Amino acid sequence: LDLDLWEPLWGAIRFVLENNIDQGWDTHLLNDFIQCCCKGKRFNQTKEVQRFMVENDRPHTIQTFMRILNFGPKTLTSIAATLQEVQKFIEEHDTEGNGHMTSIAPFYSMVLTKYAELKEWDAIQQLLDKLPPDYVLFENAVRLYGCVAQDLNKMEQMMSRIKMSGFVITSTTTCLAIEAYGRVGAFEKIQQILRDLTA
């Protein structure tokens, strides 16, 4: 986002939203604009858009935070700050039957991926320990430990954790484990999985 374009573009968006010219797409527009600000490393402007959303009763959604997480700064500090904002967001909304809450798991899954990009493997485990059991998160952890870090011990621990949490391991997760074993030449492990599947 060219800084010279920031003021006129933001002014036009504010005019549309403040005058309620078209409700319904406003949150998508603001999220897209936040993404543009983040990609252009205009993080102060990102905060200004967020302030506008709060002051004008334009609620954040999990998508707002996912855009910031995905396109914003990539540091442990910035991830921690976004996690705090999301926790506050969750506390301010009813978690039962609220449409905003349906995409919480994908957000946390993205956090796991960002930790992996920073090679902060312990942070992945710590976050999983804090959160309620969730299959989306567990499956991504299997992928990250097995296919990215190639840490088969941690991957297998995660597979065990899935079973202990009462989930049934899906074919997608099984394929991720097979891929991880294949990457390191552990073909006997693959054979064992295939035998278990046909037993």
Side-chain angles (χ1 to χ4, degrees):
L1 181 66
D2 191 316
L3 194 57
D4 293 336
L5 295 175
W6 158 257
E7 281 300 340
L9 185 56
W10 181 223
I13 291 172
R14 280 203 319 270
F15 177 81
V16 169
L17 299 181
E18 287 169 350
N19 288 279
N20 295 312
I21 291 174
D22 189 353
Q23 291 271 358
W25 51 264
D26 49 1
T27 301
H28 296 293
L29 175 64
L30 288 165
N31 285 343
D32 286 344
F33 197 57
I34 281 175
Q35 178 175 322
C36 290
C37 292
C38 286
K39 289 178 78 172
K41 301 192 185 309
R42 307 296 182 189
F43 302 123
N44 288 337
Q45 282 81 5
T46 300
K47 291 296 181 187
E48 186 172 332
V49 178
Q50 287 185 274
R51 276 196 301 273
F52 173 88
M53 293 171 80
V54 171
E55 291 167 2
N56 291 273
D57 196 28
R58 309 282 178 164
H60 286 53
T61 66
I62 289 300
Q63 270 296 321
T64 310
F65 300 111
M66 288 182 76
R67 303 289 182 97
I68 293 169
L69 185 67
N70 203 26
F71 298 101
K74 305 290 193 299
T75 66
L76 282 178
T77 302
S78 65
I79 293 172
T82 305
L83 278 168
Q84 278 188 331
E85 287 188 80
V86 167
Q87 190 57 48
K88 182 182 176 186
F89 170 83
I90 293 171
E91 289 169 358
E92 290 173 352
H93 291 75
D94 179 13
T95 58
E96 302 221 352
N98 190 311
H100 287 300
M101 309 311 290
T102 57
S103 55
I104 292 287
F107 167 79
Y108 283 121
S109 187
M110 184 182 284
V111 173
L112 298 183
T113 300
K114 295 304 169 187
Y115 282 148
E117 290 173 2
L118 295 170
K119 300 190 184 331
E120 294 288 346
W121 305 108
D122 289 342
I124 291 176
Q125 191 64 56
Q126 288 164 11
L127 182 59
L128 288 173
D129 289 343
K130 288 179 184 176
L131 297 172
D134 183 276
Y135 198 91
V136 170
L137 303 184
F138 288 161
E139 183 172 82
N140 194 26
V142 167
R143 180 184 69 83
L144 295 171
Y145 283 137
C147 300
V148 180
Q150 295 186 359
D151 187 333
L152 299 185
N153 285 334
K154 284 195 173 180
M155 183 194 75
E156 288 169 353
Q157 287 170 12
M158 191 55 56
M159 298 281 280
S160 296
R161 186 168 178 177
I162 290 174
K163 293 176 183 175
M164 289 170 60
S165 299
F167 296 111
V168 176
I169 292 177
T170 66
S171 57
T172 303
T173 308
T174 301
C175 287
L176 287 171
I178 289 173
E179 179 182 345
Y181 287 134
R183 284 171 182 257
V184 297
F187 300 115
E188 72 285 353
K189 293 276 193 178
I190 296 175
Q191 288 291 339
Q192 184 60 53
I193 288 177
L194 297 175
R195 280 195 296 271
D196 291 344
L197 287 173
T198 56

